[in-house]
């Protein structure tokens, strides 16, 4: 019996022969998601597709905005849409009715999309000839903010029927936004407790210079600014200096 | 409530590392969570044992290090703590800041039980 070859270990004393040691790691908790997001990003780059992650509370008007957007871009930029939804395919059907490819991602009980769900859905979508892929996330201002999908930009909608302090209440989400849209602006005259200036001040409190646009998809107000932003972002993809897609989440994670 | 997803992702990482180091069991898991990571530490603490049940990390102790939000001021160069929803320079009040900490979501270290032989 010795202490080197293991012959001293019996089933009875095995436990005491085990050692505890610390293993330093320092790795992002969502490293697996981030790897898949990078893979999605390469896929978009290969096809020259601008990928946008649309996030908001439930009912802020993401689907209506997309319906109006794909109509307005017809004849110019061709669009496709991935729609995350907990239980129905209502939104995907609404968008498909406009003649653009729309794939439903059923998330079941999951409150957000992740890079793997988007990757799986991309297997069912031909990106050839597509200029812009909109990814309509699950309506939720909390969970989707933590998951990089491989998108180029995050677009966050804040409808004027919500509180104008939402950016201060959901800093993780609004800090991740590359563009904020104040939606349902046609209701501003009756929503007298929503002040767009207060919403912008709350947004600026997050030290972000993300542009904020005010629009109404239903009435067509302010749509020109949004469509110009889309065209500019898509054109930037063709210029290598600006095209580099950047991950938007967790710069300090890894 | 995406903390269960985060806990499952964490567990897959832990299992991979435990396998690579031929660990018999994982006794402890230390993570660092910042207020701007989007993860609620209390919910993660409750989700982890459920995710770990029946795995090599069953019964492992999850230690959560919390860190403050810190900003670096691009105007005056100061660095200090800020509120998660008001990322102003603590010295001059400028909002021309960048985040210097507080969005961490890191697996810091593991405590592995390995055979001594």
């Amino acid at each position: 019996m010795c202490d080197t070859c293991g012959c001293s270990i019996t089933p009875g004393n095995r436990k005491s022969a085990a050692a505890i040691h610390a293993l330093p790691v320092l790795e992002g908790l969502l490293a697996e998601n981030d790897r898949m997001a990078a893979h999605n990003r390469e896929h978009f780059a290969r096809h020259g597709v601008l990928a946008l992650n649309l996030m908001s509370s439930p009912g802020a008007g993401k689907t209506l905005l997309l319906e109006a957007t794909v109509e307005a871009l017809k004849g110019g930029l061709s669009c496709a849409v991935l729609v995350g939804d907990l239980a129905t395919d209502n939104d995907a059907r609404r968008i498909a009715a406009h003649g653009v490819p729309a794939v439903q991602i059923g998330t079941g009980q999951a409150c957000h999309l992740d890079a793997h769900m988007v990757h799986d859905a991309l297997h069912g979508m031909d990106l050839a000839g597509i200029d812009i892929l909109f990814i309509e996330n699950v309506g939720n201002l909390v969970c989707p903010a933590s998951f990089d999908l491989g998108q180029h930009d995050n677009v966050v909608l804040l409808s004027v029927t919500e509180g104008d302090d939402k950016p201060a209440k959901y800093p993780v989400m609004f800090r991740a936004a590359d563009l904020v849209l104040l939606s349902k602006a046609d209701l501003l005259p009756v929503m007298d407790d929503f002040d767009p200036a207060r919403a912008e001040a709350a947004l600026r409190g997050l030290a972000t210079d993300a542009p904020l646009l005010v629009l109404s998809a239903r009435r067509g107000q302010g749509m020109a600014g949004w469509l110009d932003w889309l065209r500019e972002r898509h054109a930037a993809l063709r210029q290598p200096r600006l095209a580099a897609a950047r991950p938007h989440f967790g710069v300090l994670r890894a | 409530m995406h903390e269960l997803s985060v806990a499952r992702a964490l567990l897959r990482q832990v299992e991979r590392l435990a396998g690579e180091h031929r660990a018999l069991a994982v006794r402890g898991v230390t993570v660092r969570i910042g207020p701007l990571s989007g993860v609620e530490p209390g919910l993660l603490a409750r989700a982890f044992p459920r995710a770990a049940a029946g795995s090599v990390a069953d019964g492992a102790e999850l230690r959560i290090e919390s860190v403050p939000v810190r900003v670096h001021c691009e105007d005056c160069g100061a660095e200090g703590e800020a509120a998660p929803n008001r990322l102003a320079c603590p010295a001059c009040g400028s909002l021309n800041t960048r985040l210097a900490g507080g969005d961490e979501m890191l697996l810091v270290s593991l405590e592995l039980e390995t055979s001594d032989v």
Side-chain angles (χ1 to χ4, degrees):
Chain A
M1 300 265 276
C2 67
D3 286 333
T4 47
C5 77
C7 62
S8 62
I9 297 172
T10 65
N13 70 6
R14 186 180 299 276
K15 196 102 189 158
S16 59
I20 306 286
H21 72 94
L23 173 71
V25 185
L26 282 184
E27 203 176 88
L29 284 194
L30 294 178
E32 201 179 296
N33 181 78
D34 295 346
R35 270 193 293 276
M36 185 54 82
H39 174 77
N40 292 346
R41 199 167 270 121
E42 283 165 22
H43 184 64
F44 299 139
R46 260 199 311 280
H47 289 86
V49 171
L50 173 67
L52 301 173
N53 180 14
L54 257 73
M55 297 181 281
S56 77
S57 323
K62 292 186 296 299
T63 308
L64 189 69
L65 174 71
L66 287 178
E67 289 183 272
T69 303
V70 300
E71 276 301 322
L73 289 175
K74 268 184 187 165
L77 296 170
S78 53
C79 304
V81 183
L82 294 181
V83 185
D85 195 299
L86 295 175
T88 74
D89 64 352
N90 295 354
D91 294 353
R93 280 192 285 117
R94 275 172 63 185
I95 290 159
H98 294 269
V100 299
V103 170
Q104 166 77 23
I105 305 176
T107 60
Q109 289 308 303
C111 47
H112 59 273
L113 292 177
D114 66 26
H116 291 84
M117 293 182 207
V118 168
H119 178 257
D120 290 348
L122 286 170
H123 282 300
M125 176 168 271
D126 182 10
L127 289 183
I130 298 297
D131 296 307
I132 303 180
L133 175 70
F134 294 100
I135 305 168
E136 182 179 339
N137 218 310
V138 179
N140 180 340
L141 281 177
V142 182
C143 312
S146 296
F147 295 84
D148 187 1
L149 306 180
Q151 74 282 353
H152 295 88
D153 290 310
N154 288 319
V155 178
V156 179
L157 277 73
L158 169 58
S159 68
V160 305
T161 54
E162 303 170 58
D164 52 23
D165 58 349
K166 279 266 171 94
K169 284 186 173 167
Y170 299 91
V172 180
M173 173 61 73
F174 284 91
R175 212 177 66 80
D178 296 289
L179 173 69
V180 175
L181 300 176
L182 284 192
S183 60
K184 306 190 183 182
D186 54 309
L187 298 176
L188 269 176
V190 288
M191 302 305 299
D192 51 9
D193 50 354
F194 188 101
D195 180 356
R198 269 204 305 263
E200 175 146 29
L203 179 67
R204 299 297 162 229
L206 305 179
T208 169
D209 56 2
L212 181 140
L213 300 174
V214 182
L215 55 75
S216 161
R218 186 172 297 283
R219 303 277 174 244
Q221 297 166 12
M223 286 293 285
W226 157 239
L227 297 171
D228 285 347
W229 184 86
L230 289 174
R231 292 188 191 100
E232 275 167 33
R233 287 298 295 141
H234 180 259
L237 274 190
R238 304 288 192 247
Q239 300 168 27
R241 192 175 57 84
L242 300 171
R246 55 216 156 96
H248 282 281
F249 297 100
V251 276
L252 292 168
R253 248 193 229 155
Chain B
M1 183 35 205
H2 57 300
E3 281 74 6
L4 191 55
S5 305
V6 174
R8 287 193 185 121
L10 167 61
L11 189 79
R12 284 193 294 271
Q13 249 170 314
V14 169
E15 284 183 317
R16 175 175 54 77
L17 289 162
E20 283 170 16
H21 291 81
R22 297 190 186 153
L24 302 171
V26 179
R27 291 289 189 84
V29 176
T30 303
V31 297
R32 189 176 303 153
I33 303 290
L36 283 173
S37 69
V39 170
E40 188 50 46
L43 293 177
L44 181 63
R46 265 184 279 167
F48 181 75
R50 248 189 291 169
S55 78
V56 69
D58 198 339
E61 186 193 347
L62 179 71
R63 296 179 203 96
I64 302 181
E65 297 177 356
S66 49
V67 286
V69 171
R70 296 184 65 81
V71 294
H72 174 87
C73 181
E74 304 283 17
D75 286 341
C76 77
E79 194 170 309
E81 292 186 21
N85 58 4
R86 184 77 192 162
L87 302 178
C89 170
C92 74
S94 166
L95 281 168
N96 185 19
T97 61
R98 65 176 165 76
L99 205 67
D103 65 347
E104 296 91 338
M105 202 196 289
L106 285 173
L107 171 55
V108 175
S109 63
L110 295 178
E111 216 174 87
L112 301 178
E113 184 182 324
T114 50
S115 164
D116 228 2
V117 292

